[in-house]
Amino acid sequence: MNEYETTDLSSLSGQTSNLLGSWADSVQGHGDANELRAHHSTCLGCGPDNPHGHHLQVRRDGQDVVAEHVFDERHVGAPGIAHGGAVATVIDDLFGFLLYGMGSLGVTRSLQMDYRAPVLLGRNYILRARLVERDGRKMHTAATVAHETNFVATARAVFVAVDLGHFTEALSSADRDRSSR
């Protein structure tokens, strides 16, 4: 039995408990599959049921994770250009798939984006992320965003491994706040 099976979700509302439980199960459920499942159905980065989401489809490539993505009008910043926050969102989500590959839950401690050229709407970009180093609970990661052979953005991030209790505590507090209104 692992920590995901033994964490008490009873303090959460039914919907929150179900979502968190299925999310935690999916962390453990990737095995050696090359095509990786969405974090959960409504995830902003990869959830297939989120109408405002990016719908990333991620696969393993050796130790890296890779996705192809086309930014569209939902992601516009300046006319014809993807908003920097939209680009950061997909990179942050891609990094989350690295954690899945390690069977670890984690939270973003820092994310640094370097934009080398405009990320244009309607173009196919290759997103690639890798683990650079693991230092205890800290996971240092790096990513690139490329169109054909041109790197348009790079990123570095630090994630901190946490257990499921980190999320249940935050969500229990949110559920209490909602019910007291």
Side-chain angles (χ1 to χ4, degrees):
M1 193 173 276
N2 63 38
E3 65 139 310
Y4 306 112
E5 295 168 332
T6 60
T7 300
D8 181 14
L9 302 178
S10 63
S11 63
L12 302 174
S13 70
Q15 180 182 2
T16 302
S17 176
N18 290 341
L19 180 61
L20 190 60
S22 65
W23 177 62
D25 288 344
S26 71
V27 172
Q28 299 297 311
H30 284 294
D32 292 330
N34 281 334
E35 302 296 319
L36 302 174
R37 288 197 310 261
H39 295 127
H40 57 85
S41 66
T42 58
C43 176
L44 179 62
C46 60
D49 298 336
N50 187 330
H52 306 291
H54 293 271
H55 308 142
L56 284 182
Q57 294 181 346
V58 180
R59 67 182 187 283
R60 286 190 176 119
D61 183 14
Q63 296 298 312
D64 296 355
V65 292
V66 178
E68 293 184 33
H69 189 57
V70 176
F71 293 92
D72 62 38
E73 289 298 323
R74 296 171 301 149
H75 314 125
V76 69
I81 298 173
H83 190 285
V87 178
T89 296
V90 297
I91 292 300
D92 188 52
D93 201 61
L94 189 68
F95 283 143
F97 282 95
L98 282 174
L99 305 182
Y100 271 26
M102 296 183 287
S104 180
L105 291 174
V107 293
T108 310
R109 179 170 182 179
S110 65
L111 172 64
Q112 177 184 338
M113 294 292 304
D114 293 313
Y115 299 96
R116 298 174 172 200
V119 178
L120 302 176
L121 301 182
R123 284 197 176 170
N124 189 50
Y125 290 95
I126 304 296
L127 316 171
R128 178 177 291 274
R130 65 183 171 84
L131 177 67
V132 174
E133 173 188 15
R134 182 153 191 175
D135 179 21
R137 291 178 50 216
K138 291 182 186 175
M139 294 164 279
H140 301 265
T141 59
T144 58
V145 180
H147 174 66
E148 297 174 352
T149 59
N150 300 316
F151 290 103
V152 296
T154 59
R156 291 193 149 310
V158 176
F159 286 81
V160 178
V162 296
D163 62 21
L164 190 58
H166 174 87
F167 300 99
T168 58
E169 182 179 315
L171 292 171
S172 291
S173 175
D175 277 351
R176 283 191 303 275
D177 289 349
R178 274 192 296 276
S179 66
S180 67
R181 290 183 204 154

